[in-house]
Amino acid sequence: MLVDAHCHFDFPCFDGKREQILQDFHTQQGGGLVIPGVEAATWSRVQAVAAGDASMRYCLGIHPWFVGGHTDADLERLKSILSSRPADCVALGECGLDRLHGDLAAQRPWFEAQVDLAVELALPLVIHSVRTHDEVAAILRRRHLVAPVLVHGFAGSPEQARALTDMGCYLGVGGVITYSRARKTQRAVAEVPLERLVLETDAPDMPPEGVRKGDNRPTYLPFVFKALCGLRSEPETQIREQLLANVEALYATAWS
């Protein structure tokens, strides 16, 4: 079975389609998916969608694109929700840094505050990192985070991949690796330990090759899996089994 470790299945573009998409996903041996929260205004939507099917889990956080719309009260609300350990909430996220969207100086305090909260609550952390892998690694080192970390949608170099996986981070492998031009990231996911990788779609974004931008969905996860198998030396069965073990260890939950 395959698990989509990061899928924005709460987004309105899936309204009216979720039941059929989930049915198709399960038919393709999809075991489940995890919905990340990106802003306080939609946390309740994330929770409601995840509650609709036993195969779904979720996490809550403040995405770097949306930090400008939040106040300290939202961080307190996040802490309150996560402290109660709601059912099927498996991590804090997504949060992080993005060099291509917004102001890093404005994003950094929000990211650091959420890392600190993950440390305090001993929760797994889901990180959005765009051209900021070095900064993210430095912040994680200073915070001494013990709980598992997912750097989702990884698109960095082999050197950055090794630096993150040496710290114990998991890397989210998505549609990027299906493109022939993504040689750097392909080398990275080919070389790091298989035990540090999980699959994701980041749907509706990050589509695999041949899928129109904005049309990505969990049912395309097998495309990513096939591309990963083409890059790795291990047998397909071993890769499939290890990926499931990884995502279950990351989120401390079971789909098998």
Side-chain angles (χ1 to χ4, degrees), residues 48-128:
V49 171
D53 191 280
S55 68
M56 291 190 283
R57 311 286 190 270
Y58 70 92
C59 33
L60 300 178
I62 299 172
H63 191 289
W65 292 5
F66 306 116
V67 296
H70 292 79
T71 67
D72 290 344
D74 295 308
L75 279 175
E76 288 301 316
R77 179 184 165 207
L78 180 62
K79 180 178 180 178
S80 176
I81 294 172
L82 296 178
S83 295
S84 70
R85 293 297 199 272
D88 298 328
C89 182
V90 294
L92 191 161
E94 75 187 273
C95 59
L97 301 173
D98 192 321
R99 194 177 299 279
L100 300 184
H101 194 294
D103 179 11
L104 276 182
Q107 296 169 11
R108 185 182 298 272
W110 289 92
F111 177 47
E112 292 178 341
Q114 290 177 89
V115 174
D116 289 343
L117 183 56
V119 171
E120 179 181 348
L121 300 179
L123 278 173
L125 185 66
V126 177
I127 296 177
H128 171 104

Side-chain angles (χ1 to χ4, degrees), residues 194 225 229 232 234-243:
L194 180 60
F225 176 68
C229 289
R232 302 289 308 191
E234 301 91 347
E236 180 178 316
T237 300
Q238 180 183 346
I239 296 173
R240 185 185 293 270
E241 291 175 351
Q242 188 62 58
L243 289 170

Side-chain angles (χ1 to χ4, degrees), residues 4-10 14 33-36 201-203 217-218:
D4 190 343
H6 191 100
C7 172
H8 295 281
F9 208 45
D10 66 302
F14 293 115
L33 55 86
V34 178
I35 308 171
T201 61
D202 195 29
R217 54 182 60 189

Side-chain angles (χ1 to χ4, degrees), residues 109-245:
W110 289 92
F111 177 47
E112 292 178 341
Q114 290 177 89
V115 174
D116 289 343
L117 183 56
V119 171
E120 179 181 348
L121 300 179
L123 278 173
L125 185 66
V126 177
I127 296 177
H128 171 104
S129 176
V130 176
R131 298 191 183 179
T132 57
H133 295 324
D134 297 336
E135 290 92 338
V136 163
I139 290 170
L140 293 179
R141 287 191 197 97
R142 290 197 297 271
R143 261 49 184 196
H144 303 294
L145 185 64
V146 175
V149 173
L150 170 62
V151 178
H152 106 84
F154 180 80
S157 69
E159 294 76 18
Q160 290 171 323
R162 283 194 294 272
L164 291 167
T165 57
D166 284 350
M167 296 172 58
C169 295
Y170 292 90
L171 304 182
V173 181
V176 170
I177 67 165
T178 66
Y179 294 86
S180 59
R181 65 177 181 271
R183 294 183 180 88
K184 177 179 66 175
T185 302
Q186 289 172 345
R187 289 199 308 272
V189 301
E191 294 174 7
V192 300
L194 180 60
E195 291 78 11
R196 294 290 102 197
L197 301 179
V198 299
L199 292 183
E200 63 168 283
T201 61
D202 195 29
D205 298 319
M206 206 166 70
E209 187 173 31
V211 176
R212 189 172 58 183
K213 183 177 180 180
D215 282 351
N216 198 13
R217 54 182 60 189
T219 47
Y220 294 129
L221 194 64
F223 292 12
V224 181
F225 176 68
K226 181 178 179 181
L228 179 62
C229 289
L231 297 171
R232 302 289 308 191
S233 60
E234 301 91 347
E236 180 178 316
T237 300
Q238 180 183 346
I239 296 173
R240 185 185 293 270
E241 291 175 351
Q242 188 62 58
L243 289 170
L244 178 59

Side-chain angles (χ1 to χ4, degrees), residues 43-56:
W43 290 340
S44 59
R45 186 180 72 192
V46 168
Q47 292 173 305
V49 171
D53 191 280
S55 68
M56 291 190 283

